[in-house]
């Protein structure tokens, strides 16, 4: 057993014929670097950095074994020797850094985003506009050949093994369920027939590649869709796959079309470990737990109580390539934690952009930006301790500048502090902890509770000033709101400086309007306590029910406020929210009876309430509290003329400012100073 704060996590584990140095798997993530120019070089740098950071086993993003199975029409694919050759540099670098690496084979079936898609039956996924063609018997045999070819090519490129995706609503999981498989031939109908394709694929790869080659199988431990598999069926599949040659099961929960959130911030940490723990009871080979495992203590708790043998962690490796090394060395506070926002990773992939990371702007851009020591170390004042200022301060200080950070409030964080109050966003506290740690380790002088003014400037002799003084809430020009005690701004509410009455109207339905509505209606526990989350979404931890769903959600917390959200634009409420997260918040609020009204014109506020017009009809919304979430204005500070001044974040441009842009701007300036 290893010593250190996470002894189980850091202990070696035997998987098949391979010994892995610790129990952390960097899980497969599609980044779209795979489709970029210089993909091989960029992937080598990306995975090489994570291998150097101490992870035991890396799984690549998914490669389709044939044209039909690509997520997009342009891949990524592993079908030819030429495609394999580009990946040789990846395996070389990873092996040189002492880690193992498997290539993920991913046939997306009816989830593919192109019109050449195929599936067991001609049944369209509810979230896809394309209807699949049903595979013929001959097509299925060819598909098995394609998987075998892909594994062969992977081995030729130096991979230690493959991970086969058998979950998520992709091809192999489609075959396993009546939801997507209505066949009545050898590949459908009975449980054995529905399991035949994945089992035959594993059997074939094992027979061709021999016992040393790692075969991991990403198994759906709970499908979370109607007509998904029951626990018994999953156990039967796992047993058959083990007999066919699987060395390790890596867990997965949900199908992409499931209406249960599985990875985004409203999901409590380790909320789905119950499904892995249940599966593990009948297994003869190791299994890795998955979903919302973002800190080493979460992983250690799962492993030390025997709920799983390994952990499968993906996005936290975008956030911090050195996650494992920091955990191993007891530097947990230095970990840049994935806050499960999905903003720059999943949301980018779903909108055809390369993945990045909100908390780590360097992620997946390892070859694109140089971090070099400052050629001329200077004395720099950073004014504002929000995300832009913090990001700039630690980056500039790490490069050798002498940085002083001025923050008018008593604590660092700026708008991050507001996010921390929102249900599901408590992970933002980890970002504050990370910045605090980096400020200390990079030697930034921090002066909180300090207004930056001419006196300070005179004392200190700075060479440059970075203005990151953020934003102030914008107040609409609406008769009656000035001085009315019922009117509060979002920051007053989220910081507890103001309280809301029973009847609340919210002006503004951007990200902050939604955050305020969630703050007023959802108990934090739904997003932080697994059992409460499971009850809220009607999950069946026993998996006796198909798909692991009990039916309608069981436990709705009673609405604490009567809320009306308003905006002037017409169209879908929350249209600006993230593609992979917006639906979760909208669903919460709709179930809580929150009214969302678009296309309104505001007239005035008086003792009767908020006067509006909608569709040409005047109306009064009676209220106890009016919360203003109408965007922001820049809040720049006065600076002298004789010094170089750099404006970043909201102080520079308040429109569409979010933490991602603020952190990125701070980082870029920190690299350039
Ligand atoms: P926002 O997204 O720009 O939304 C501002 C809202 O206020 C809009 O609904 C707008 O709708 C309304 N508005 C603007 N000017 C107004 C005026 N003069 N009078 C009345 N209403 C007005 O800004 P935000 O909600 O403050 O969010 C700031 C940034 O943080 C955004 O980039 C947002 O995406 C980001 N954010 C994201 C999340 C997330 O969960 N992803 C959460 C919080 C914040 P109308 O103009 O149609 O009335
Ligand atoms: Fe995690 Fe957000 Fe970064 Fe994605 S963008 S890896 S969810 S912190």
């Amino acid at each position: 057993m290893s010593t250190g704060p996470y002894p189980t996590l850091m202990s070696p584990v035997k998987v098949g014929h391979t010994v892995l140095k610790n129990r952390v798997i960097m899980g497969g993530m599609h980044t779209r670097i795979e489709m970029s120019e210089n993909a091989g070089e960029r992937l080598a740098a990306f995975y090489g950095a994570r291998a150097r950071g101490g992870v035991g086993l890396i799984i690549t993003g998914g490669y389709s074994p044939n044209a039909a199975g690509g997520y997009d029409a342009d891949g990524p694919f592993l079908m030819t020797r030429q495609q394999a050759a580009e990946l040789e540099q990846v395996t070389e670098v990873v092996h040189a850094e002492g880690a193992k690496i498997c290539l993920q084979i991913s046939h997306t079936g009816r989830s593919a985003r192109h019109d050449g898609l195929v599936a067991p039956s001609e049944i369209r996924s509810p979230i896809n506009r394309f209807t699949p063609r049903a595979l013929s018997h001959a097509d299925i045999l060819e598909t098995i050949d394609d998987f075998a070819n892909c594994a062969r090519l992977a081995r030729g490129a130096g991979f230690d093994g493959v991970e086969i995706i058998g979950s998520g609503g992709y091809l192999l999981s489609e075959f396993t369920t009546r939801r997507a498989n209505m066949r009545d031939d050898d590949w459908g109908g009975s449980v054995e027939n529905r399991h035949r394709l994945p089992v035959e694929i594993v059997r074939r790869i094992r027979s061709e590649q021999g016992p040393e080659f790692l075969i991991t199988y990403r198994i759906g431990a709970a499908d979370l869709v109607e007509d998904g598999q029951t626990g018994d069926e999953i156990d039967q599949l796992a047993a058959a796959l083990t007999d066919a040659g699987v060395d390790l099961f890596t867990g997965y929960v949900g199908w992409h079309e499931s209406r249960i959130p599985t990875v985004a911030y409203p999901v409590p940490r380790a909320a789905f470990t119950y499904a892995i723990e249940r599966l593990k009871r009948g297994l003869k080979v190791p299994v890795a737990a998955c979903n919302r495992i973002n800190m080493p203590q979460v992983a250690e708790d799962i492993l030390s109580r025997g709920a799983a043998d390994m952990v499968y962690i993906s996005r936290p490796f975008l956030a911090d390539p050195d996650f494992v090394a920091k955990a191993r060395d007891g530097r947990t506070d230095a970990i840049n934690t994935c806050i499960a926002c999905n903003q720059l990773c999943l949301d980018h992939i779903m909108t055809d952009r390369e993945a990045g990371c909100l908390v780590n702007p360097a992620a997946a851009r390892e070859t694109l930006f140089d971090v070099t020591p400052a050629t001329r170390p200077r004395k720099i004042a950073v004014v504002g301790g929000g995300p832009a200022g913090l990001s700039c301060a630690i980056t500039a200080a790490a490069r050798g500048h002498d940085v002083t950070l001025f923050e008018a409030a008593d604590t660092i964080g700026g708008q991050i502090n507001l996010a921390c109050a929102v249900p599901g966003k408590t992970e933002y506290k980890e970002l504050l902890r990370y910045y605090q740690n980096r400020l200390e380790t990079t030697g930034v002088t921090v002066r909180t509770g300090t207004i930056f003014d001419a006196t300070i400037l005179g004392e200190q002799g700075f060479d440059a000033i970075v203005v990151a003084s953020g934003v102030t809430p914008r107040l609409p020009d609406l008769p009656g709101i000035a001085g009315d005690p019922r009117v509060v701004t979002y920051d007053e509410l989220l910081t507890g400086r103001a309280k809301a009455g029973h009847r609340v109207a919210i002006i503004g339905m951007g990200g902050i309007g939604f955050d305020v509505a969630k703050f007023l209606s959802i108990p934090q526990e739904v997003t932080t306590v697994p059992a409460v989350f499971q009850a809220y979404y009607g999950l069946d931890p026993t998996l006796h029910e198909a798909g692991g769903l009990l039916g309608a959600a069981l436990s709705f917390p009673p609405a604490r406020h009567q809320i009306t959200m308003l905006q002037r634009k017409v169209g879908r409420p929350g249209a600006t929210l993230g593609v992979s997260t917006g639906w979760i918040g909208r669903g919460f609020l709709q179930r809580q009876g929150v009214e969302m009204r678009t296309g309104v014109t505001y007239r005035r506020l008086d003792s009767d309430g908020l006067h509006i017009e909608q569709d040409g009809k005047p109306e009064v919304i009676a209220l106890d509290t009016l919360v203003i979430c109408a965007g922001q204005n820049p809040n720049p500070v006065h600076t002298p003329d004789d010094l170089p001044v750099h404006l970043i974040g909201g102080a520079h441009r308040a429109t569409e400012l979010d933490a991602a842009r603020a952190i990125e701007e701070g980082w870029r300036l920190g690299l350039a100073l």
Side-chain angles (χ1 to χ4, degrees):
M1 181 71 78
S2 295
T3 53
Y6 311 109
T8 329
L9 187 64
M10 292 305 149
S11 62
V13 58
K14 189 154 188 269
V15 175
H17 289 255
T18 307
V19 176
L20 300 172
K21 63 184 173 186
N22 54 51
R23 290 165 186 259
V24 186
I25 302 171
M26 174 182 168
M29 277 177 293
H30 186 39
T31 59
R32 288 184 74 86
I33 305 180
E34 298 87 357
M35 283 111 122
S36 66
E37 266 183 50
N38 307 327
E41 188 196 338
R42 289 186 61 191
L43 289 167
F46 176 66
Y47 290 118
R50 275 79 192 160
R52 200 159 38 254
V55 67
L57 173 64
I58 291 174
I59 312 283
T60 66
Y63 286 82
S64 176
N66 59 29
Y71 179 63
D72 287 304
D74 56 348
F77 303 113
L78 182 55
M79 292 152 57
T80 64
R81 277 185 200 285
Q82 196 188 352
Q83 287 160 346
E86 189 167 40
L87 297 173
E88 284 171 14
Q89 53 195 310
V90 177
T91 56
E92 270 168 29
V93 171
V94 168
H95 289 151
E97 298 291 355
K100 304 283 182 195
I101 182 162
C102 289
L103 180 122
Q104 186 183 80
I105 309 181
S106 161
H107 188 307
T108 56
R110 70 177 195 172
S111 299
R113 303 192 309 173
H114 55 80
D115 59 8
L117 74 178
V118 296
S121 302
E122 202 179 300
I123 307 171
R124 190 174 62 82
S125 155
I127 57 166
N128 200 345
R129 65 195 165 100
F130 299 114
T131 302
R133 175 178 68 80
L135 289 165
S136 67
H137 177 76
D139 292 333
I140 292 175
L141 297 182
E142 223 172 273
T143 303
I144 297 173
D145 289 345
D146 293 338
F147 272 80
N149 177 55
C150 189
R152 210 176 301 129
L153 290 169
R155 187 169 207 173
F159 286 93
D160 301 286
V162 289
E163 176 179 77
I164 299 165
I165 283 270
S167 51
Y170 286 176
L171 186 76
L172 302 190
S173 51
E174 289 160 19
F175 267 90
T176 62
T177 66
R178 291 184 198 281
R179 179 180 179 82
N181 183 350
M182 304 293 283
R183 304 176 74 98
D184 55 8
D185 61 0
D186 288 350
W187 309 97
S190 69
V191 177
E192 290 73 20
N193 283 357
R194 282 186 272 128
H195 292 168
R196 192 178 309 283
L197 177 59
V199 171
E200 287 304 318
I201 286 171
V202 170
R203 205 193 310 278
R204 173 78 172 277
I205 294 175
R206 177 58 73 214
S207 78
E208 285 191 9
Q209 301 304 329
E212 309 288 330
F213 193 63
L214 263 176
I215 301 182
T216 82
Y217 190 89
R218 194 104 205 254
I219 193 162
D223 292 334
L224 307 181
V225 285
E226 291 75 28
D227 294 326
Q229 295 197 92
T230 62
D232 282 349
E233 288 176 339
I234 296 167
D235 292 345
Q236 282 182 57
L237 174 65
L241 288 167
T242 306
D243 290 345
V246 164
D247 296 311
L248 164 72
F249 287 101
T250 52
Y252 193 93
V253 292
W255 283 27
H256 295 303
E257 64 205 54
S258 168
R259 300 311 294 162
I260 313 292
T262 55
V263 295
Y265 59 83
V267 178
R269 291 176 173 187
F272 292 101
T273 305
Y274 71 85
I276 307 299
E277 192 167 7
R278 194 210 62 78
L279 174 66
K280 179 178 158 55
R281 283 184 216 128
L283 288 181
K284 295 188 205 136
V285 296
V287 62
C290 55
N291 288 56
R292 291 289 284 113
I293 301 169
N294 65 342
M295 284 298 277
Q297 192 60 55
V298 184
E300 181 69 17
D301 290 346
I302 292 169
L303 300 184
S304 61
R305 71 184 165 86
D309 305 287
M310 302 184 73
V311 287
Y312 193 90
I313 300 176
S314 304
R315 293 168 300 167
F317 281 99
L318 278 176
D320 196 333
D322 297 320
F323 180 97
V324 175
K326 289 175 181 174
R328 182 194 61 209
D329 302 342
R331 292 184 294 128
T332 312
D333 276 356
I335 291 177
N336 198 0
T337 303
C338 167
I339 57 174
C341 64
N342 284 358
Q343 241 172 282
L344 265 62
C345 51
L346 271 173
D347 284 353
H348 270 206
I349 294 301
M350 291 168 79
T351 48
D352 300 335
R353 292 174 285 173
E354 280 187 8
C357 177
L358 180 143
V359 301
N360 175 20
R365 293 150 132 191
E366 287 73 13
T367 58
L368 307 183
F369 291 90
D370 273 344
V371 185
T372 50
T375 43
R376 189 168 59 87
R378 287 182 295 160
K379 198 165 161 57
I380 294 170
V382 176
V383 185
L390 288 166
S391 174
C392 182
I394 61 171
T395 311
R399 293 182 52 242
H401 291 298
D402 175 3
V403 180
T404 304
L405 179 78
F406 296 93
E407 167 56 51
D410 291 338
T411 52
I412 61 162
Q415 303 277 309
I416 300 176
N417 292 305
L418 303 183
C420 292
V422 175
K425 294 196 172 177
T426 46
E427 292 288 1
Y428 273 88
K429 289 183 185 160
E430 298 287 4
L431 187 54
L432 290 177
R433 181 265 307 145
Y434 167 75
Y435 278 130
Q436 189 60 51
N437 176 280
R438 288 298 289 159
L439 290 170
E440 287 160 19
T441 51
T442 57
V444 174
T445 304
V446 180
R447 294 186 55 183
T448 49
T450 306
I451 307 280
F452 183 78
D453 59 14
T455 321
I456 286 178
L457 257 176
E459 286 167 11
Q460 308 264 342
F462 290 108
D463 301 312
I465 302 175
V466 175
V467 176
S469 45
V471 292
T472 52
R474 179 194 292 139
L475 290 178
D477 185 15
L478 182 67
I481 66 166
D484 189 313
R486 294 170 299 170
V487 178
V488 302
T489 56
Y490 64 83
D491 60 334
E492 290 171 328
L493 196 67
L494 293 173
T495 53
R497 284 181 281 138
K499 296 270 177 248
H502 180 64
R503 296 166 304 170
V504 179
I506 299 173
I507 286 190
M509 286 170 69
I512 290 183
F514 271 85
D515 277 354
V516 162
K518 287 187 271 179
F519 173 76
L520 292 174
S521 21
I522 303 167
Q524 272 289 12
E525 298 73 44
V526 175
T527 65
T528 54
V529 181
V532 179
F533 173 85
Q534 288 157 19
Y536 179 74
Y537 279 106
L539 305 182
D540 170 21
T542 66
L543 269 100
H544 287 136
E545 300 296 327
L549 297 177
L550 290 169
L554 288 184
S555 118
F556 286 83
R560 291 176 292 178
H561 300 271
Q562 179 191 317
I563 300 173
T564 308
M565 299 177 71
L566 305 145
Q567 76 172 22
R568 296 170 301 181
K569 278 188 290 295
V570 288
R572 198 165 59 103
T576 57
L577 302 177
V579 264
S580 69
T581 51
W583 64 275
I584 306 170
R586 270 195 301 271
F588 265 134
L589 298 181
Q590 278 157 359
R591 285 190 290 273
Q592 293 301 109
V594 172
E595 195 183 358
M596 298 176 196
R597 300 179 64 159
T598 60
V600 304
T601 306
Y602 307 112
R603 291 299 179 205
R604 65 181 183 283
L605 178 70
D606 65 18
S607 55
D608 294 332
L610 179 64
H611 293 249
I612 63 163
E613 257 179 52
Q614 195 174 23
D615 300 328
K617 290 187 204 119
E619 199 181 327
V620 184
I621 298 175
L623 53 80
D624 304 305
T625 305
L626 179 64
V627 190
I628 308 295
C629 306
Q632 295 81 20
N633 292 321
N635 179 37
V637 293
H638 179 72
T639 48
D641 298 331
D642 56 343
L643 281 181
V645 173
H646 307 269
L647 262 177
I648 55 171
H652 171 51
R653 189 166 63 87
T655 310
E656 287 172 8
L657 174 75
D658 61 7
R661 172 157 75 82
I663 291 171
E664 162 110 18
E665 282 186 21
W667 174 71
R668 280 180 184 262
L669 179 60
L671 289 181
L673 282 168

